[in-house]
Amino acid sequence: MFNGLFDDFIVRAAFAGVGVALAAAPLGCFVVWRRMAYFGDATAHAAVLGIALSLTFSAPMFAGPLLVSLLMATLVTTLSGRCFAMDTLLGVMAHSSLAIGLVAVSFLSGVRIDLMAYLFGDILSVGVNDLMIIWGGAALVIALLVLRWSGLLLSTMNPDLAHASGFSPKREQFILTIALAVVVAVAIKVVGALLIAAMLLIPAATARPLCRTPEMMAVTATVIACFSSLIGLETSYQFDTPTGPTIVCTSAALFLLSGAVWRIINAVGKTLSDEAQSP
């Protein structure tokens, strides 16, 4: 039954897109709340170096990006505030790791590699094994977020209150780092290293003005991300455009739409309030 279902490459691509959306969107809410946009970008760029490592040692393609993303995130967390400002450190490490990864790939002899597929994704080539990795990673990220939701949320909103409640902000930061590295590793195949940050940020930013609670924002961002993946995949198929960038463009269009809706709702609410207060 399942073999027949996954014989169609479009079905596999749809499941892959939804799997990445389920992991990236709720995690992206914490990235937005903590203002870690550049952090996610740096971790994603480092994944290119991980691709070179996987190819060099003939390891599974997700293993290298996962390892390098974890090392990058841990190193940045450890060094931030000691030598350089966070944005400076992230900028240096993001671009350096991306450049080193690209140079390292060029030295691989006897290996044919479609570099564009790793930079911008190749969701249409996703296989059943890739789906297992993507959904396994998504399940791990969702489990981490569900189990540590209170600690992560308190540490994000008020570290002092988190301490008083028995949570360690540093430990919660490390858990968030692990989840981010997992998302980067499993999303490489779908949207590529250069667009992973967009999948983390845009759905969460789209949901933010429309929601009043953190939980509602996480759920709304997940729905938006899944919708963007499916509509972007269909649009790419119909117009023969690059799938990963098309998914991100769809998500960006929804972001603009949500901003317009939010402004209209605010304008209508202000008008009704003024009318109610007028004699």
Side-chain angles (χ1 to χ4, degrees):
M1 175 181 175
F2 289 105
N3 287 336
L5 174 64
F6 293 122
D7 283 345
D8 191 333
F9 72 96
I10 288 293
V11 174
R12 293 196 301 270
F15 272 93
V18 170
V20 170
L22 290 174
L27 182 62
C29 293
F30 286 98
V31 173
V32 169
W33 293 331
R34 288 174 175 256
R35 299 181 180 179
M36 293 171 57
Y38 212 0
F39 187 89
D41 207 29
T43 306
H45 285 181
V48 177
L49 180 57
I51 292 169
L53 290 177
S54 290
L55 292 171
T56 301
F57 296 103
S58 300
M61 193 50 66
F62 78 93
L66 177 61
L67 175 62
V68 174
S69 297
L70 276 173
L71 289 175
M72 163 70 92
T74 303
L75 188 61
V76 169
T77 302
T78 303
L79 294 180
S80 62
R82 295 188 179 184
C83 305
F84 301 98
M86 174 67 89
D87 59 343
T88 302
L89 186 63
L90 285 173
V92 170
M93 297 190 71
H95 300 300
S96 298
S97 58
L98 177 60
I100 292 170
L102 293 175
V103 171
V105 168
S106 71
F107 279 108
L108 295 176
S109 58
V111 177
R112 296 185 63 184
I113 176 174
D114 182 6
L115 195 56
M116 293 294 287
Y118 292 109
L119 292 178
F120 298 103
D122 189 14
I123 190 174
L124 298 180
S125 68
V126 167
V128 176
N129 290 337
D130 295 320
L131 281 179
M132 293 174 63
I133 292 171
I134 290 171
W135 279 85
L140 176 60
V141 170
I142 292 171
L144 282 174
L145 293 179
V146 170
L147 292 174
R148 305 301 308 173
W149 181 263
S150 297
L152 286 169
L153 195 59
L154 273 177
S155 299
T156 298
M157 303 303 177
N158 193 325
D160 293 333
L161 182 59
H163 264 302
S165 302
F167 297 106
S168 169
K170 287 187 177 181
R171 182 182 61 202
E172 305 305 326
Q173 171 71 29
F174 183 66
I175 291 172
L176 201 61
T177 296
I178 293 175
L180 186 60
V182 171
V183 168
V184 168
V186 301
I188 283 283
K189 191 80 171 181
V190 176
V191 290
L194 298 184
L195 299 177
I196 292 173
M199 288 295 287
L200 285 166
L201 293 172
I202 299 178
T206 303
R208 189 171 192 174
L210 305 177
C211 304
R212 295 189 175 184
T213 66
E215 292 80 9
M216 183 178 292
M217 178 174 163
V219 171
T220 304
T222 303
V223 172
I224 290 171
C226 291
F227 183 78
S228 298
S229 296
L230 295 176
I231 296 301
L233 177 61
E234 177 64 22
T235 302
S236 170
Y237 182 74
Q238 293 295 332
F239 294 97
D240 194 25
T241 56
T243 309
T246 304
I247 290 173
V248 173
C249 287
T250 304
S251 188
L254 291 176
F255 171 74
L256 294 175
L257 180 61
S258 77
V261 170
W262 180 67
R263 287 181 176 84
I264 291 171
I265 291 175
N266 277 353
V268 171
K270 184 178 180 180
T271 301
L272 293 176
S273 178
D274 290 343
E275 289 178 354
Q277 292 177 3
S278 62

